[in-house]
Amino acid sequence: MAADPALFRTPPASEVAAALEARVRRRLATTADAPLADYLADTLFHERKRLERDDDAPEYAEAIEAGAQSLRAMSRPAMESSIYRMVRHYAEEVHNPFSVRTYRFATRMMPGVLTRLLSGARPRDLVLGDFDLASRLLLSGPIDQLRRLAEQGTLILAPTHVSNLDSPLIGYSAFAAGLPPFAYGAGLNLFSNPVMAFFMQRLGAYTVDRRKKNRLYKDTLKDYSTEIIGRRHHSLFFPGGTRSRSGRLESRLKKGLLGTGLAAWQESLAAGRRDGEVYIVPCTLSIGLVLEAETLIADSLAEEGKQRYIITDDEFADARTIGRFVRSLLQLDAKVHVVFGQPMDVVGNAVDSEGRSLDPRGRVVDRRGYVFDRSGAVVSDEQRDHLYTERVAERLGEAYQRDFVPQATHLVAWAAWQALRAAFPGLDTWRLVRLHPDQAVVDRAAVARRVGEAMSRLGAYHTALAPTAERTLDDATRVFASYHRHRAVAEQGPSLRVHPELCLYYQNRMVGYRELR
Amino acid sequence: MNAEIVGQGELSQTIATLVKAAGVDGRGVELWCVPVSELRQAVRDRLPGPQHRILLATRGLEPGTALRPSQVIMEESACLRVAALAGPVLPAEIARKSPCAAVVASPHAELRALGAAVLRSPLCRVYESADLAGVELAGALVDVFAVALGAARGLGLGAGAEALLVARAAVEGARLAGKIGGDPRTFSGLAGVGDLVACAASADHPGHRRGLALARGEASPEVVAMCTPLLRHGGNLPIVGGVKAVAAGEVRGAEMLAKLMSSAHAGEWDDA
């Protein structure tokens, strides 16, 4: 029988704080006075500015103010201890101990609990599970291999991200696939729902406050991730960093957290540990509707520079909207396609069933050569590691494109958008999305023809689609009619009426498919 | 101990001379002087892995795939630390200990520093660049532009025409670099214009000899093979296209010259 996952034995916050302080101590030991002063000044400056808007613990706010006032006169030991105090504060804020009891309760009660959570039910209703979410989830990919790798090393699950519902869905999908629980970073705003917060805090979520922009906080988050991966906590990152605003599959990925897998692996090699292997697993999640589509595309189309990294007033903030969304999906008999991709090592090479790295021709290679010197010692090189992590990010982007399962809504929106563009050849995207609703009408037969052509060009990709273009078109218009305030594409006699913004959002999922160019 | 040199011929001897002059411990880096057409087989034979660091003196794009040499290595092996060497390093001048310069390019800072160290000496200045794609591309383009220069000389054109050719080659190099994700400035450095000026001044450069043959009306499948992979990347490359057409026997050198001189033109750096 498999051993309990390491996440079941999360250390207390004080131990995590001490570990993170030790990490920053090691870094500061090789930092000269001037850069150290810059580092502290950057932190105090950003925090002081933030505290003009945001609340925080009074003693923390006072310490920031006092630090800012006395920065010029601070000795090196005073600067260091100021940094250590902040790191401990951040560590305690970020860390949430995992609760095995809650996990066992939640997994026993799943999927009812999750379904009711998703539909905004009252807490006392949570145990009355009467709906089988599992039947709506279609899981695929090398799941047996992933289970084996999770036994011998640590997994980093790296999914695409469109909705705040992704974390619970992926968490449940991992459970349904027989994978262990994952630690993951969740924005502070997601903890505002007390029921969600109760479960998230106890089921692996660590708290990320995106309002904190200072370098020390970002470094602490990276240290935290490196620390927990080193302790063999399987981790989940959304490499896109945030929900895709445009609806496109992520191609530019953030490397900060992604690089912590490589860092943790090197630390375990240097320590001579045998259980420190780290594997990165791409994951795509495909669903015909996106809860927050209207807000996200509006934000994406907002004037450049005004895109909000943290959105607190979207559809996710309203439990009734979530409920309506989930009910729509249930009534539509919608399926969620979750594809676990081919696992790779921390520099982006595929790995075999035993976790050994493979070269592009499938030959086993010793990955330690990437970081060892000739004597077999680990050589630390930040610039090299950045390049290795860039490679992982590229491979993830390729995997997303390869693995994503397009739904009828994506393909029909794509075809309708093409038809709209053809109907208004002089208009660019910005003008098209501002078309009056009466103008945004396209010929239904032409769209059906485009859908049919696209289906034959997509070949193996269209596993989620009905067998004919007509039925695919019907499926999409039915789904579009079910939830959003506006219909992305709607039947109107021999024509289709298009809501350009929403249509653009759903069609953007198809951008990047060479077959459709 | 000197860096290991992989490959044979005049180029490997020249590199060996530079390595010897540098006289530093070059363990851990391999200098590959393998013709691009033989590179893939060399990778399959030697199977470099994660631990290897390769400095490639190979020039040109792979026929058939149009891949750069470093891409061939990474397509065939798990070796990721690859650098390119390019610049006006002329064997005859090195043999008589005349000073020269080169550029070592890799995104890996550690590798380009190591590569530069094993070649740097009073005989050779070595600059570093992070633009691997741009330097490899410059090496491939210079070979074609050298043919064009040889042809210009064969047609009896003067220094003004040669200067025009070099300047327009720089624009073409910048244009193609931008298209494949390289730095458009790279071609203006040692790997591009620097090498091209050396070609222009060297009557015994192979490109020069090939160009003279084209000017005499001789077709050259070898030159066609140099141009084809560059043109596969698309974009506006009139000199490369012109050299290929003459080398394929589709048009005579003088006619191509007339065509190029009368083609539409406006801003000097348009599209670059």
Side-chain angles (χ1 to χ4, degrees), chain A residues 347 349 358-361 363 365-374 381 383-384 387-388 391, chain B residues 25 27-28 40 44 47 49-51 53 74-81 107-110 112:
Chain A
V347 301
N349 294 311
L358 302 173
D359 76 4
R361 300 295 179 209
R363 292 171 291 234
V365 295
D366 183 354
R367 57 180 163 257
R368 295 175 303 174
Y370 289 118
V371 296
F372 272 180
D373 65 11
R374 280 199 303 277
D381 182 340
Q383 197 262 349
R384 173 202 67 197
L387 294 171
Y388 288 161
R391 187 165 183 262
Chain B
D25 182 353
R27 278 178 295 185
R40 193 173 288 274
R44 288 174 181 164
L47 272 189
Q51 73 281 18
R53 293 170 180 79
M74 287 188 245
E75 194 175 85
E76 284 290 336
S77 78
C79 178
L80 298 179
R81 284 176 283 187
H108 285 270
E110 168 246 1
R112 58 179 188 258

Side-chain angles (χ1 to χ4, degrees), chain B residues 3-83:
Chain B
E4 185 181 352
I5 294 176
V6 176
Q8 292 170 341
E10 192 181 40
L11 179 60
S12 64
Q13 286 164 18
T14 302
I15 298 292
T17 306
L18 295 177
V19 166
K20 197 174 166 198
V24 300
D25 182 353
R27 278 178 295 185
V29 63
E30 292 180 1
L31 284 136
W32 286 36
C33 310
V34 180
V36 69
S37 56
E38 296 167 20
L39 182 60
R40 193 173 288 274
Q41 191 55 49
V43 182
R44 288 174 181 164
D45 293 343
R46 293 184 66 87
L47 272 189
Q51 73 281 18
H52 285 92
R53 293 170 180 79
I54 295 176
L55 178 50
L56 274 167
T58 301
R59 295 171 73 102
L61 303 184
E62 188 181 47
T65 66
L67 291 175
R68 293 179 280 109
S70 63
Q71 290 176 311
V72 174
I73 290 190
M74 287 188 245
E75 194 175 85
E76 284 290 336
S77 78
C79 178
L80 298 179
R81 284 176 283 187
V82 183

Side-chain angles (χ1 to χ4, degrees), chain A residues 180-479:
Chain A
F182 286 78
Y184 65 100
L188 196 58
N189 52 317
L190 299 184
F191 290 86
S192 55
N193 178 330
V195 180
M196 287 289 276
F198 176 88
F199 282 96
M200 283 166 60
Q201 279 167 347
R202 286 162 180 78
L203 297 178
Y206 57 90
T207 312
V208 177
D209 185 352
R210 293 201 184 100
R211 299 168 308 176
K212 293 194 175 82
K213 310 253 184 236
N214 70 78
R215 277 162 59 198
L216 179 61
Y217 183 73
K218 288 178 185 169
D219 287 345
T220 305
L221 280 182
K222 281 194 243 172
D223 282 346
Y224 181 80
S225 178
T226 309
E227 182 70 28
I228 63 173
I229 294 169
R231 289 170 185 255
R232 295 208 51 198
H233 296 180
H234 305 290
S235 292
L236 183 153
F237 307 144
F238 290 109
T242 181
R243 290 170 292 174
S244 168
R245 296 292 190 263
S246 64
R248 291 184 185 204
L249 280 167
E250 294 92 334
S251 56
R252 284 187 188 166
L253 304 178
K254 289 188 178 279
K255 287 110 195 165
L257 280 182
L258 213 47
T260 60
L262 176 59
W265 174 64
Q266 290 183 75
E267 286 180 3
S268 76
L269 276 184
R273 278 175 42 200
R274 288 183 167 198
D275 63 348
E277 296 303 338
V278 177
Y279 306 105
I280 296 169
V281 184
C283 178
T284 59
L285 193 144
S286 172
I287 187 164
L289 282 174
V290 174
L291 170 76
E292 308 98 317
E294 284 165 303
T295 303
L296 293 175
I297 189 65
D299 207 52
S300 169
L301 292 170
E303 218 177 310
E304 203 178 337
K306 286 191 181 168
Q307 279 190 42
R308 297 169 296 169
Y309 193 62
I310 312 162
I311 299 179
T312 52
D313 56 353
D314 60 19
E315 294 84 343
F316 187 75
D318 181 0
R320 283 168 305 180
T321 310
I322 299 179
R324 194 159 52 81
F325 174 77
V326 174
R327 276 193 298 280
S328 300
L329 289 183
L330 303 186
Q331 282 159 9
L332 291 165
D333 194 26
K335 298 279 196 290
V336 180
H337 292 253
V338 179
V339 181
F340 296 100
Q342 288 296 327
M344 57 180 106
D345 66 21
V346 285
V347 301
N349 294 311
V351 296
D352 68 8
S353 57
E354 310 298 315
R356 296 173 300 185
S357 296
L358 302 173
D359 76 4
R361 300 295 179 209
R363 292 171 291 234
V364 172
V365 295
D366 183 354
R367 57 180 163 257
R368 295 175 303 174
Y370 289 118
V371 296
F372 272 180
D373 65 11
R374 280 199 303 277
S375 69
V378 175
V379 178
S380 136
D381 182 340
E382 207 175 309
Q383 197 262 349
R384 173 202 67 197
D385 292 353
H386 181 76
L387 294 171
Y388 288 161
T389 304
E390 264 185 359
R391 187 165 183 262
V392 170
E394 271 172 35
R395 295 287 178 275
L396 282 174
E398 291 162 11
Y400 294 161
Q401 202 70 57
R402 193 174 53 238
D403 297 342
F404 179 73
V405 178
Q407 304 266 354
T409 47
H410 303 126
L411 196 60
V412 168
W414 173 83
W417 183 257
Q418 301 304 313
L420 201 61
R421 276 176 50 172
F424 297 94
L427 300 190
D428 61 14
T429 301
W430 306 100
R431 291 200 168 96
L432 280 177
V433 295
R434 280 166 185 78
L435 275 178
H436 189 275
D438 293 341
Q439 290 177 288
V441 175
V442 291
D443 179 40
R444 190 186 188 285
V447 172
R449 201 166 49 246
R450 282 178 199 270
V451 170
E453 284 165 12
M455 284 170 69
S456 59
R457 275 192 268 160
L458 281 171
Y461 283 121
H462 65 73
T463 53
L465 304 179
T468 65
E470 270 303 322
R471 279 184 53 195
T472 300
L473 191 48
D474 287 345
D475 284 349
T477 50
R478 191 167 52 88
V479 174

